[in-house]
Amino acid sequence: MKNKKLRLGLPRALFYYYYAPWWETFWQALGVEVVVSPPTNKEIMDLGVSLAVAEACLPVKIYYGHTAWLAGQVDVLFVPRLVSVEKKSFICPKLMGLPDMLRAAVKPCPPIIDTVINCVRQPQEGLAAAVEDMAGRVGFRGREVQSAREAAQERYLCWLERQQMGRANGATDLTSASAAGAAVSETGKPGLIDSAPAQAGSLKVGLVGHAYLIHDRFLSMDIPAKVKKMGGEITLPENLPPDQIALACRQLPKRLFWTLGQKIMGSVLSLIEQDSIAGIIHLTAFGCGPDSLVGDLAERYARRRGTPFLLLTIDEHTGEAGVNTRLEAFMDMLPRRYSA
Ligand code: SF4
């Protein structure tokens, strides 16, 4: 049954940082009230850690916290079961079982729209089927779904373009391309990375990692702002053209089949080819299976090319002082290496 007052919860974690403009625009175009959980804070993290299994990586634990925060406030939660978002590549297996794990852990848990998104064989058909399914679960069909999808796609592409244009200063305004984003974030501000121009003479640094780590200011301890304060000018994976990342990945002897792994690896391979890049920081989560392989591979390629590489692994116990010390040491060393 169509319900214009349906309140749909969108956890501000994991793939929210990749698809927020699309999802928010789509549901709002259908007349649904979208409620986004607030930016991550200690309360949300502690909630997630208390509900999730100990083996889960930190971003997954955080997702539990956001879901639990929303649970009592919405009619339905949107937690798509992400299998694949592009041809011949997969999303981390931990995300496939997320809806089931949340139902078991979050009590009481509202109904979950857990549409399977699987584009591994036929991306267009897979996406179309997913869109029909997610809208159909709450009674929307036909032309209005098509219109909402078109609006979402337009907003999403515009947002991607803006991210790439932010290359010079690492700006990746998550929600400004989505007017909806700011409006639906009922409690808390949209997650923005400082987009003020870098100072003259600043060192160019690549900051790679999952968007849900880098753009979550609480999780990342605002590393982008810290680097900038220390005189760095950041380039993020989101600032690089996807074609450039894909091309860089072709030099690998074997194709990586994780979408996010390809993005990180391709970004590193692309950045180390640029003489203007003084060093690379890889932000990763403790307990991340794909990153344990991709991170090691990325570091080997960077070292082979002579590019300084700093691996920062975070979990719920990571102290900010230790991160600051390592960052400062890395940033202090860069001018000497860069000018040598
Ligand atoms: S890719 Fe890594 S950080 Fe992301 S959900 Fe999977 S295990 Fe967690």
Side-chain angles (χ1 to χ4, degrees), residues 14 57 59-60 92 94-95 210 212 260 285 287-290:
L14 291 176
C57 61
V60 165
C92 169
K94 282 186 185 166
L95 303 188
H210 301 305
Y212 44 80
L260 299 186
C288 174

Side-chain angles (χ1 to χ4, degrees), residues 264-281:
I264 292 172
M265 195 62 215
S267 300
V268 170
L269 291 173
S270 175
L271 289 167
I272 60 176
E273 290 303 323
Q274 299 177 26
D275 291 336
S276 59
I277 295 292
I280 293 178
I281 300 169

Side-chain angles (χ1 to χ4, degrees), residues 1-335:
M1 185 186 69
K2 191 184 295 187
N3 182 356
K4 291 288 180 190
K5 290 183 182 167
L6 185 80
R7 280 171 68 85
L8 176 137
L10 210 48
R12 190 191 295 263
L14 291 176
F15 271 70
Y16 174 84
Y17 288 94
Y18 288 93
Y19 296 116
W22 203 103
W23 291 346
E24 290 176 359
T25 307
F26 178 75
W27 289 114
Q28 288 191 323
L30 289 173
V32 170
E33 184 184 347
V34 179
V35 183
V36 183
S37 53
T40 307
N41 52 39
K42 177 132 181 21
E43 183 197 341
I44 286 177
M45 184 176 79
D46 289 347
L47 195 54
V49 169
S50 71
L51 291 170
V53 291
E55 295 75 25
C57 61
L58 184 57
V60 165
K61 289 177 180 169
I62 294 292
Y63 198 91
Y64 274 73
H66 282 273
T67 307
W69 188 94
L70 286 165
Q73 313 194 33
V74 296
D75 304 313
V76 62
L77 284 163
F78 180 57
V79 185
R81 202 183 289 273
L82 289 161
V83 177
S84 162
V85 294
E86 59 181 350
K87 206 169 183 178
K88 293 184 184 168
S89 293
F90 291 91
I91 295 299
C92 169
K94 282 186 185 166
L95 303 188
M96 295 180 201
L98 206 49
D100 306 314
M101 294 193 295
L102 291 170
R103 282 190 194 102
V106 178
K107 303 282 181 193
C109 186
I112 293 180
I113 299 176
D114 60 351
T115 295
V116 176
I117 298 181
N118 189 348
C119 301
V120 75
R121 289 184 202 284
Q122 296 166 312
Q124 287 311 320
E125 288 79 352
L127 189 61
V131 171
E132 291 290 324
D133 180 83
M134 65 175 81
R137 301 249 192 140
V138 280
F140 295 99
R141 289 188 177 78
R143 184 66 210 149
E144 60 184 340
V145 175
Q146 182 60 22
S147 303
R149 182 182 167 181
E150 285 165 9
Q153 188 67 6
E154 192 182 333
R155 176 76 41 89
Y156 177 64
L157 293 177
C158 167
W159 175 70
L160 289 182
E161 201 177 316
R162 283 174 57 112
Q163 284 193 319
Q164 281 179 42
M165 279 161 45
R167 178 179 182 175
N169 50 30
T172 53
D173 178 337
L174 180 65
T175 48
S176 71
S178 159
V184 297
S185 303
E186 291 182 337
T187 54
K189 299 171 191 165
L192 305 180
I193 282 184
D194 182 10
S195 59
Q199 294 163 1
S202 52
L203 280 169
K204 292 192 176 174
V205 177
L207 175 59
V208 300
H210 301 305
Y212 44 80
L213 275 179
I214 292 177
H215 299 288
D216 185 321
R217 285 179 151 175
F218 183 83
L219 276 192
S220 73
M221 300 174 201
D222 220 354
I223 284 176
K226 286 186 165 81
V227 172
K228 198 165 178 183
K229 230 177 182 174
M230 294 173 195
E233 181 187 327
I234 291 170
T235 299
L236 301 166
E238 290 75 33
N239 302 142
L240 300 172
D243 291 354
Q244 189 177 318
I245 292 177
L247 192 65
C249 275
R250 287 208 199 140
Q251 61 183 282
L252 293 171
K254 198 173 172 195
R255 191 172 173 275
L256 288 171
F257 50 81
W258 295 298
T259 291
L260 299 186
Q262 282 174 26
K263 191 167 181 179
I264 292 172
M265 195 62 215
S267 300
V268 170
L269 291 173
S270 175
L271 289 167
I272 60 176
E273 290 303 323
Q274 299 177 26
D275 291 336
S276 59
I277 295 292
I280 293 178
I281 300 169
H282 181 197
L283 185 63
T284 178
F286 182 76
C288 174
D291 271 7
S292 63
L293 188 142
V294 173
D296 184 66
L297 201 58
E299 186 165 2
R300 285 174 195 229
Y301 272 85
R303 296 215 184 282
R304 214 179 286 167
R305 184 76 165 75
T307 308
F309 191 94
L310 174 66
L311 175 68
L312 285 175
T313 304
I314 52 169
D315 69 7
E316 60 270 36
H317 307 298
T318 302
E320 192 164 359
V323 169
N324 290 348
T325 305
R326 294 193 62 201
L327 263 185
E328 276 165 17
F330 185 71
M331 293 302 292
D332 279 355
M333 174 272 297
L334 284 187

